[in-house]
Amino acid sequence: MKNWEKNIRRVIPYTPGEQPNCPDMIKLNTNENPYPPAPGVEKAWGELDVPSLRLYPDPACSLLVNALAKRCGVGEDQVFVGVGSDDVLAMCFQTFFNSKKPVLFPDISYSFYPVWAELFGIPYETTALDEEFRIVKEEFYRENGGIIFPNPNAPTSLLLEQRDVEEIIAHNPDSIVIVDEAYIDFAGAPSAMKLLEKYDNLLVVQTFSKSRSLCGMRVGFAVGSPRLIRYLNDVKYSFNSYTMSLPALTLGAAAVADEAYFQETTRKICATRERSKEALRKLGFVFPEPAANFIFASHPKCDAKALFEALKERRIFVRYFDKPRINQYLRITIGTDAQMEALFGALEELVSKPVFENGY
Amino acid sequence: MKNWEKNIRRVIPYTPGEQPNCPDMIKLNTNENPYPPAPGVEKAWGELDVPSLRLYPDPACSLLVNALAKRCGVGEDQVFVGVGSDDVLAMCFQTFFNSKKPVLFPDISYSFYPVWAELFGIPYETTALDEEFRIVKEEFYRENGGIIFPNPNAPTSLLLEQRDVEEIIAHNPDSIVIVDEAYIDFAGAPSAMKLLEKYDNLLVVQTFSKSRSLCGMRVGFAVGSPRLIRYLNDVKYSFNSYTMSLPALTLGAAAVADEAYFQETTRKICATRERSKEALRKLGFVFPEPAANFIFASHPKCDAKALFEALKERRIFVRYFDKPRINQYLRITIGTDAQMEALFGALEELVSKPVFENGY
């Protein structure tokens, strides 16, 4: 090792999920929306003045912030936007989790939480899910330097009822509690934003990547008390004043504007999910009750990894986690009805083959 | 203060530069390019498949990385891309500057360097420019935990000759040396990239915001040894795997592809700068020899702040820094010939008025 290498920050490299790109593939592995962005997004795209890209975008992101404030029924000083919810969440870890006490998050949860904690040198402890993968609220009633959990949780797809979310917040008046709602629009349940009037230590994070079909544009946001948002902006402006590109601001605002399309596509995905639950049950799969745009399914007679690989050979991509407790599950994104039919056709064939029996 | 506020990271809020947006304004305050992005960028915009925005972009950013590698004559494992060069530089501070020894940068330089150092808790010392604002290479020959300087420097616009850049690197084999070349394309001098073959502790950072007319798209990049780039990617993937949007990747690659347009607009800006030097001298201004797309000018008989305010009233925006040693200077971005003529017309009137005499 050379001397100049000694002071480099070493992290356990996080490997981004597979982004296959074969023709005719069925991509159900990264919880993308099977439907295109709202028609208004395409329109905004066509109307964007390309020459104006020579200018810096608005650092306050007012166009998008105002659209979100209106939609969420909060003040413009209560919204923070970032380059996808990963950017927002990473900023939150950096801004809010500076205690010597451990930050708490579920042991089975979004895999980036421990990565950010390691990156920023934040102590953390995980809270145990129960045997049915449910978040146990009492696990968050211990001393901590902050709390974060996804709701619905990933990769389990399970929703924590709002009264339980509120109890966790109410039990932790001295901590900042972040509810990561990437999938809340598919839950048929209210956002924790409803609780913002009562709790100024609550921050709710959402994304445009799932229910708004804008993964490729990188837009996420947080809603909280003006004080929390100000602290986040202070750190963001110290990092990079212009994180949001002009297209991200204009297309993001156009996506928010089209509430009808958002409702329609979200409803379609939920309907496909309900049909998919039936189909998977018929094939012998079991799964926690899904509240997101994916199902976390296991087959008592088939090895999950073998199924994952066999599906891949058929150009059907789902997500497999080679981790304790969840290594017999597949996380299956809800696609279109046609995509799901193709998946079920392949699974029907596969689960009938004894070669996939894992013997437990 | 509430208990939950105690562990929040407090930073001295960085205030982003003014982004005025009045009709008919002449905007010469943030070193933007007066010309639109290359025609190929508009074409790529028109051809972008909006429905595919529902998918995550390529986390490896291959389209853009490959275009840059080819253009810079380096390997694909030698290029890192980010959300503007501010994102790239912030990642560099976080990744490379973890020594207990101070990082060194010039005392008059890019104002974000001390902001990042504070944000990440990095010790730093500034090196003194000489009386004519020149970087003094010997100032970097002391013990340090890393080195960074812009070349040409900002806001002075002064170029450090390549032999001096090389001497700084050669004197610091145990440090990582970052040369921040946001403005190098206007310098008529080679990039420090030429030195990469000899020094694997060198990292060169550039941006699409100036010579590529793409401020609004947020694209910056670093070129260095494969090892440095790998460390940067490890940290980036741990922060946010998908920082670069699909439009940033495709429009960025399109901008790189049009070398002729790049050469033409860069040449035009340099020609306008040469004419502007003459005009400013005639008006009595003095300035260090400019090598960027801006001139750092002072008038012996006129107060810089008063000039700045008076220009603003006429909707001509330049940049003023209320800081020791440079508070009698204006940083004037090179616009089109017509914009510069309007500026000189206004200045001619202003410098003749005794009210602006500052008496020194």
Side-chain angles (χ1 to χ4, degrees), chain B residues 237-257:
Chain B
Y237 286 138
S238 297
F239 190 89
N240 183 358
S241 306
Y242 302 95
T243 57
M244 302 300 286
S245 69
L246 179 66
L249 297 177
T250 52
L251 272 57
V256 175

Side-chain angles (χ1 to χ4, degrees), chain A residues 53-84:
Chain A
L53 286 175
R54 73 175 186 85
L55 299 171
Y56 279 102
D58 168 23
C61 306
S62 303
L63 184 72
L64 183 55
V65 163
N66 295 358
L68 283 168
K70 203 177 146 195
R71 206 262 171 186
C72 299
V74 297
E76 287 160 19
D77 55 354
Q78 292 189 262
V79 179
F80 173 85
V81 295
V83 182

Side-chain angles (χ1 to χ4, degrees), chain B residues 14-57:
Chain B
Y14 177 87
T15 314
E18 196 175 17
Q19 292 297 356
N21 190 15
C22 357
D24 308 322
M25 69 176 172
I26 294 181
K27 192 170 181 302
L28 306 173
N29 68 333
T30 49
N31 297 342
E32 290 149 332
N33 197 310
Y35 303 108
V41 170
E42 182 120 27
K43 192 161 169 276
W45 182 263
E47 286 169 359
L48 195 134
D49 178 49
V50 176
S52 70
L53 286 174
R54 72 176 186 84
L55 299 171
Y56 279 103

